[in-house]
Amino acid sequence: MNNVTHQQRQIRFRAWLIEERKMVTVVKLLLGSEWLVEHDGKLYEVGNGAILMQSTDLEDTSGDRIYEGDIVKGTSYRYGYELDDGKQFEYIGFIQWFGTEFQRWVVSDADIFNERSGGSWDLSQLVHRNMVDYLTGSVIGNIYQHPELLKQA
């Protein structure tokens, strides 16, 4: 009989507290008929008082954890080209969950944020296409505290 070791990953969240206009690490998440985030002894209802964001379980080049709603900027290689042929493109976009037919994390460009027709790149492709275990870019902000970063792009 084979022994199978299943490694569970820790699911991490952070929350944007709407009234306080503050980003916090979620230490306690209460699940029931309503989802509640507890911070400093206060409860915030997810969707009303707090916006919940999940970690992608990836890091950027600085070692910062990447969360849903983060704005990232970097360089990647065009699909189908080798690393040494110089076919690069620069990107700036925000992290979101693409939960339709193929469920995955994507980097969506500023046009989508600004409600125009735009594009998205699979986050795992931006990582693995560059043959590294982290995003070859940096988190430069998030859509709640720094939306102007996408409006300028």
Side-chain angles (χ1 to χ4, degrees):
M1 182 167 150
N2 292 338
N3 289 333
V4 177
T5 304
H6 177 69
Q7 183 178 5
Q8 294 182 348
R9 71 180 181 103
Q10 185 176 6
I11 299 175
R12 295 176 175 89
F13 293 94
R14 71 177 183 195
W16 174 248
L17 304 181
I18 297 168
E19 279 189 29
E20 287 86 348
R21 302 190 53 76
K22 180 179 177 182
M23 191 69 70
V24 298
T25 300
V26 173
V27 177
K28 193 172 197 179
L29 181 62
L30 306 169
L31 305 177
S33 59
E34 298 174 342
W35 286 32
L36 302 172
V37 172
E38 182 181 344
H39 179 70
D40 286 342
K42 290 177 65 178
L43 293 176
Y44 300 87
E45 183 182 351
V46 173
N48 257 345
I51 299 170
L52 195 63
M53 291 160 274
Q54 185 177 343
S55 168
T56 63
D57 210 30
L58 293 170
E59 296 177 347
D60 70 1
T61 53
S62 303
D64 294 326
R65 189 168 306 284
I66 302 171
Y67 284 87
E68 183 175 8
D70 277 342
I71 300 171
V72 293
K73 181 178 184 177
T75 303
S76 188
Y77 294 87
R78 297 191 189 284
Y79 186 75
Y81 290 97
E82 298 301 321
L83 295 177
D84 58 359
D85 72 2
K87 302 288 186 186
Q88 295 181 325
F89 69 96
E90 290 186 357
Y91 63 87
I92 183 169
F94 66 102
I95 305 296
Q96 69 180 134
W97 180 250
F98 189 73
T100 57
E101 186 176 339
F102 301 104
Q103 297 185 356
R104 63 189 183 271
W105 291 107
V106 297
V107 177
S108 295
D109 66 16
D111 286 333
I112 289 178
F113 182 79
N114 294 311
E115 299 180 4
R116 299 187 299 254
S117 177
S120 297
W121 305 276
D122 189 315
L123 183 58
S124 66
Q125 287 181 355
L126 288 176
V127 170
H128 299 298
R129 186 176 306 150
N130 291 298
M131 301 174 112
V132 293
D133 292 329
Y134 54 84
L135 180 70
T136 55
S138 298
V139 173
I140 58 171
N142 64 68
I143 61 174
Y144 300 102
Q145 294 171 302
H146 313 100
E148 72 280 357
L149 294 173
L150 289 173
K151 290 182 179 163
Q152 297 169 1

